[in-house]
Amino acid sequence: MQREHSNSAPSTPRIRHRRRPTNEFPVELNKTNGCNLLINDGNKYRSMWIRTLSSLWMLGCFLLILYLGHLYIWAMVVFIQILMVRELFTLLRRVHEDRRLPGFRLLNWHFFFTAMLFVYGRILGQHLVNATSSDNFIYRTQSFLIKYQMVICYFLYIAGVIWFILSLKKKMYKYQFGQFAWTHMILIVVFTQSAFTVANIFEGIFWFLLPGSLIAVNDVAAYFFGFFFGKTPLIKISPKKTWEGFIGASVATITSAFVLANIFGQSQWLTCPRKDLSTGWLHCNPGPVFKPESYSLPGWIPDSFPWKEITIMPVQWHALCLGLFASIIAPFGGFFASGFKRAFNIKDFGDSIPGHGGVTDRMDCQMVMAVFAYIYHQSFIVPQYYSVEMILDQMMRHLSYEDQQILYMKLQQMLSDRLLLQS
């Protein structure tokens, strides 16, 4: 009887505990913001040391690329793009489903490089038109690619769509269409900001370096102010952010904007626009925003003060607007990324940068800032009238060498006819 009773007793089901990935964080730790503040973190000095070393390493690499010039900065942007897209592609990837869909990852990269050809092909077309001689095969090939670049990109995209449709499998439709939509959202977000970033680079490294530096200053200042003084939580979706860090970083960023604009604005290498794809040193007449203006100090300042007037570049006033945006609006790009990561229950987008997480974790605010810097530059810095320099620049970018010669002959004939009429 005892044996029968033991056999009839219901067996206790085995509870299998799923292993939590290393980049996830327990939900219990996020119920309150106060326990996650840096000031209460027992390992904060170790994490600060790792973060500082990796930051110094990245700064050294960035300064070297900055010295090499516009094309190398562009190559750096492309490399960062690839790393970001790789992290975002992996975010919604399911290994089990991917094994049943051979070549599906390759299709994502097909769309990525098609988008890259479309966005950067248009930018290259503006700078390649006079890069080579008109008497060789390379010029004819590049002229063909520039002329039909949009057609080539369109049919590459259509080929990707057909590839996707032919790869559809039963019981996998929902996963495949979800990945298709996710891929397009990634490409829109990444290439929108990168197109503005590259445009800023060719308008002058200044317009790439200053906005990026302000985001870096804001990030570092917010970290250290929060590290030593942070006690009041700022926003729930990012529990380590504090009001002390936010306010301290805002003051540091706006002050740094005024100072850095003066330092960067004195270098022609940073302020001159690049109108071709060469790598030589740049010389140009600085624009009016980079020409210093003198301001007399008010009369109530004592005579013992050593300066009677101060010199300020107009671009420094514009830099204050960039600093204000970088300290108040741009951090919401980071808050958006924090909320996005919490939606997928992950701590970081990746682990490629020790102490920082993934590349996407460092680019969230930069993406917002790059777009604003371009819009601000085109709206308030670029002259709204057509000057001789602007017309000549458009001629050099969009007309071939033969067309420029024809235009020169026609202008010469028109001026000669006008002189005859006046005489």
Side-chain angles (χ1 to χ4, degrees):
M1 294 293 293
Q2 185 176 0
R3 182 179 300 176
E4 291 177 1
H5 178 74
S6 62
N7 291 337
S8 62
S11 58
T12 303
R14 296 179 60 188
I15 300 176
R16 299 182 63 185
H17 295 278
R18 183 171 63 89
R19 236 182 124 182
R20 189 179 298 274
T22 55
N23 63 338
E24 291 187 5
F25 48 89
V27 181
E28 292 79 4
L29 294 179
N30 302 320
K31 291 182 179 178
T32 59
N33 287 348
C35 62
N36 279 341
L37 299 180
L38 280 173
I39 200 169
N40 299 324
D41 190 353
N43 297 323
K44 63 178 184 179
Y45 288 103
R46 179 178 178 275
S47 61
M48 183 186 70
W49 179 245
I50 296 174
R51 191 182 180 101
T52 302
L53 289 179
S54 58
S55 299
L56 291 175
W57 178 83
M58 288 190 294
L59 179 62
C61 294
F62 178 75
L63 292 177
L64 175 62
I65 295 172
L66 197 68
Y67 172 78
L68 293 175
H70 300 70
L71 287 181
Y72 293 91
I73 300 174
W74 187 359
M76 178 191 68
V77 172
V78 173
F79 179 69
I80 291 174
Q81 266 189 321
I82 294 174
L83 294 179
M84 288 177 61
V85 169
R86 177 176 172 271
E87 291 176 354
L88 294 173
F89 278 165
T90 308
L91 190 60
L92 291 186
R93 182 180 179 184
R94 299 177 187 171
V95 179
H96 177 68
E97 281 81 353
D98 283 354
R99 287 175 181 171
R100 298 172 58 187
L101 299 169
F104 196 70
R105 290 294 117 192
L106 186 62
L107 177 61
N108 290 342
W109 288 106
H110 169 83
F111 283 121
F112 171 78
F113 286 108
T114 300
M116 180 180 290
L117 179 62
F118 176 76
V119 172
Y120 292 146
R122 297 173 65 86
I123 299 174
L124 277 172
Q126 299 175 1
H127 299 275
L128 274 175
V129 67
N130 290 313
T132 56
S133 172
S134 60
D135 298 328
N136 54 39
F137 173 76
I138 298 178
Y139 179 82
R140 297 188 183 93
T141 303
Q142 88 176 22
S143 299
F144 174 84
L145 293 175
I146 292 173
K147 183 177 181 180
Y148 299 105
Q149 175 253 349
M150 292 186 67
V151 176
I152 294 171
C153 292
Y154 175 75
F155 280 102
L156 283 174
Y157 178 78
I158 292 299
V161 174
I162 295 173
W163 181 358
F164 169 75
I165 294 172
L166 295 177
S167 68
L168 290 173
K169 285 189 177 183
K170 194 175 181 180
K171 297 183 179 181
M172 301 288 294
Y173 296 152
K174 186 176 181 180
Y175 175 73
Q176 287 181 277
F177 276 100
Q179 290 290 308
F180 185 81
W182 177 242
T183 299
H184 281 69
M185 193 194 79
I186 292 172
L187 297 182
I188 291 172
V189 171
V190 172
F191 278 102
T192 297
Q193 64 87 20
S194 64
F196 288 112
T197 301
V198 174
N200 290 338
I201 293 171
F202 282 97
E203 290 291 346
I205 299 178
F206 178 93
W207 300 107
F208 163 78
L209 179 60
L210 180 64
S213 299
L214 295 181
I215 293 296
V217 169
N218 185 264
D219 188 32
V220 172
Y223 179 81
F224 279 100
F225 275 101
F227 186 91
F228 291 107
F229 308 108
K231 293 181 180 180
T232 311
L234 175 64
I235 189 169
K236 290 182 179 180
I237 59 175
S238 189
K240 291 189 177 181
K241 299 292 191 300
T242 62
W243 276 105
E244 291 81 4
F246 183 79
I247 296 173
S250 299
V251 175
T253 303
I254 295 173
T255 305
S256 299
F258 193 80
V259 175
L260 290 176
N262 181 272
I263 297 173
F264 297 159
Q266 298 180 22
S267 171
Q268 288 193 4
W269 179 244
L270 300 179
T271 58
C272 291
R274 172 68 72 183
K275 302 183 184 301
D276 52 29
L277 297 179
S278 63
T279 57
W281 197 257
L282 288 172
H283 298 281
C284 67
N285 182 24
V289 294
F290 296 108
K291 293 180 178 178
E293 297 178 353
S294 298
Y295 297 88
S296 299
L297 296 178
W300 50 264
I301 294 181
D303 295 336
S304 59
F305 194 73
W307 296 287
K308 301 301 179 183
E309 62 179 18
I310 57 174
T311 302
I312 299 176
M313 294 181 182
V315 75
Q316 291 180 258
W317 304 119
H318 292 290
L320 292 178
C321 298
L322 295 177
L324 191 65
F325 185 90
S327 58
I328 297 179
I329 307 300
F332 281 87
F335 300 153
F336 178 86
S338 297
F340 191 83
K341 288 183 287 187
R342 291 189 174 277
F344 292 94
N345 200 29
I346 59 174
K347 182 181 179 182
D348 298 310
F349 285 104
D351 55 0
S352 54
I353 308 176
H356 294 268
V359 176
T360 311
D361 294 286
R362 294 273 60 82
M363 293 295 114
D364 45 16
C365 298
Q366 295 284 3
M367 295 167 66
V368 179
M369 190 67 193
V371 178
F372 175 75
Y374 178 82
I375 294 173
Y376 187 91
H377 178 265
Q378 295 298 316
S379 301
F380 300 104
I381 305 297
V382 175
Q384 300 302 317
Y385 58 88
Y386 288 99
S387 63
V388 176
E389 290 78 9
M390 293 175 64
I391 296 173
L392 289 175
D393 178 53
Q394 294 298 317
M395 288 168 48
M396 295 297 293
R397 290 191 179 193
H398 298 287
L399 295 180
S400 64
Y401 181 72
E402 294 88 349
D403 292 335
Q404 292 175 22
Q405 286 183 316
I406 294 172
L407 179 62
Y408 173 76
M409 299 298 295
K410 288 186 176 181
L411 285 173
Q412 190 177 33
Q413 183 64 37
M414 289 172 59
L415 292 174
S416 299
D417 294 343
R418 182 173 294 181
L419 288 174
L420 289 175
L421 288 175
Q422 290 178 352
S423 62

